């Protein structure tokens, strides 16, 4: 018994070390970017950093091209998220309780954009826009981002629908509530955290998306495209690091928020009853 316990403890420590090793491997490049965003040196990396400064933050936020790219990315992410919230919620509500011919096919088509490689989605959208005579620009970027943002909202909302007891809706209607009152007082409160989490995830994905954007942007330059263009400018490395750190923060915080909002989803009113 003692030898088995010792082996189990060794295996547990081995798994913990492997997990921490994987986390360090994944996050080490991110840590390097954050460290060198405060480095005093201009140009190529050198270790250890030469000093600590906040100078590059003021330089980055004084540049018109950086501010314009941030503004454009925020506008696109907000609009794409709003479209996704409306269409994703409606699609989830339509597919939740009704069985009809082609339901599985529609579900697959809704989920497909997030499963396909971004380059396939980008090429398909570009071909469709060209065939319709639509010039790439802000509108095409929004449409491209909405295609995969809808999936995020749809998955969150339909999962919450499945954990919400339909007897709550029936009880509301039995007590004299009309459709709008049932939606406002029963359905919407149960969907609230799922909608917020789905919207936050959709915003984060849209804000830093680059592959689909590359095919649909035309002459527009979102923040990820600006970062890609900066790779050929070595003297701008400190400013690029500052902007990259900003992108990581803007996308990390909504993802963490969505995680904490949805991890207690089993406590939804009526779930499992």
């Amino acid at each position: 018994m003692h030898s088995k316990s010792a082996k189990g403890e060794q295996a547990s420590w081995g798994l913990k070390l492997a997990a921490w090793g994987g986390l360090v491997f994944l996050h080490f490049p991110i840590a390097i970017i954050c460290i060198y965003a405060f480095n005093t040196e201009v140009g190529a990396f050198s270790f250890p950093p030469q000093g600590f400064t906040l100078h590059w933050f003021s330089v980055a936020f004084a540049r018109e091209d950086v501010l314009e790219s941030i503004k454009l990315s925020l506008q696109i992410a907000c609009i794409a998220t709003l479209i996704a919230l409306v269409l994703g919620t409606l699609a989830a509500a339509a597919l939740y309780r009704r069985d009809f011919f082609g339901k599985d096919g529609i579900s697959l088509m809704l989920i497909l954009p997030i499963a396909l490689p971004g380059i396939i989605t980008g090429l398909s959208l570009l071909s469709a826009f060209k065939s319709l005579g639509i010039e790439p620009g802000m509108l095409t970027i929004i449409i491209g981002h909405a295609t995969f943002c809808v999936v995020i909202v749809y998955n969150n909302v339909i999962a919450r629908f499945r954990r919400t007891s339909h007897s709550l809706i029936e009880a509301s209607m039995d007590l004299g509530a009309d459709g709008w009152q049932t939606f406002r007082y029963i359905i919407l409160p149960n969907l609230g955290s799922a909608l917020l989490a789905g919207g936050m995830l959709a915003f984060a994905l849209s804000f830093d998306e680059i592959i689909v954007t590359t095919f649909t942007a035309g002459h527009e330059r979102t923040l990820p495209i600006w970062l890609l263009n900066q790779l050929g400018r070595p003297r701008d490395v400190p400013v690029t690091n500052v902007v990259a750190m900003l992108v990581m923060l803007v996308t990390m915080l909504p993802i963490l928020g969505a995680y904490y909002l949805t991890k207690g989803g089993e406590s939804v009113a009526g779930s499992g009853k």
Side-chain angles (χ1 to χ4, degrees):
M1 287 291 292
H2 180 71
S3 61
K4 288 183 179 180
S5 176
K7 288 180 180 179
E9 187 174 343
Q10 289 176 357
S12 176
W13 275 107
L15 288 173
K16 288 178 181 178
L17 287 174
W20 280 109
L23 287 174
V24 170
F25 177 78
L26 289 173
H27 292 90
F28 180 74
I30 297 174
I32 291 294
I33 289 177
C34 293
I35 290 171
Y36 279 91
F38 301 94
N39 190 21
T40 55
E41 185 182 12
V42 179
F45 290 103
S46 64
F47 189 84
Q50 302 302 303
F52 180 89
T53 181
L54 297 175
H55 170 68
W56 303 117
F57 286 82
S58 60
V59 172
F61 289 107
R63 287 181 50 165
E64 192 66 27
D65 57 339
V66 174
L67 295 178
E68 287 296 324
S69 297
I70 292 174
K71 180 182 176 182
L72 180 62
S73 288
L74 288 173
Q75 288 176 336
I76 291 170
C78 288
I79 298 172
T81 300
L82 182 61
I83 293 171
L85 284 171
V86 175
L87 297 182
T89 303
L90 292 176
L95 295 173
Y96 165 51
R97 289 188 63 83
R98 294 290 180 267
D99 291 322
F100 53 87
F101 178 76
K103 176 180 177 178
D104 292 338
I106 293 174
S107 299
L108 178 62
M109 289 175 65
L110 279 168
I111 298 172
L112 202 57
I114 203 73
L116 287 173
I119 192 170
I120 301 298
T121 304
L123 281 170
S124 302
L125 287 168
L126 181 60
S127 299
F129 293 142
K130 290 293 185 182
S131 64
L132 294 172
I134 302 173
E135 288 299 319
M138 183 175 176
L139 175 63
T140 57
I141 300 174
I142 291 170
I143 295 172
H145 287 199
T147 57
F148 57 81
C149 288
V150 166
V151 183
I152 303 300
V153 176
Y154 168 79
N155 283 337
N156 275 273
V157 173
I158 201 164
R160 182 58 54 85
F161 269 130
R162 288 168 180 162
R163 290 198 298 264
T164 303
S165 175
H166 189 68
S167 61
L168 293 173
I169 300 173
E170 294 174 344
S172 173
M173 303 296 281
D174 288 342
L175 291 171
D178 56 28
W180 167 247
Q181 290 173 321
T182 300
F183 173 78
R184 181 181 175 185
Y185 295 111
I186 303 298
I187 299 175
L188 193 57
N190 279 282
L191 295 182
S193 60
L195 287 172
L196 184 57
M200 293 167 72
L201 284 173
F203 178 89
L205 284 176
S206 176
F207 186 79
D208 70 352
E209 209 292 320
I210 187 169
I211 301 176
V212 173
T213 309
T214 302
F215 289 94
T216 57
H219 299 295
E220 299 287 352
R221 187 165 62 174
T222 61
L223 194 55
I225 291 179
W226 181 89
L227 286 169
L228 182 64
N229 292 337
Q230 288 294 108
L231 295 178
R233 300 175 182 177
R235 292 195 62 82
D236 275 353
V237 166
V239 175
T240 305
N241 288 335
V242 169
V243 178
M245 189 174 73
L246 171 69
V247 172
M248 286 186 287
L249 287 174
V250 170
T251 54
M252 178 185 70
L253 294 177
I255 291 172
L256 287 175
Y259 166 74
Y260 283 109
L261 282 170
T262 55
K263 72 174 184 177
E266 66 277 0
S267 61
V268 171
S271 61
K273 297 180 181 178

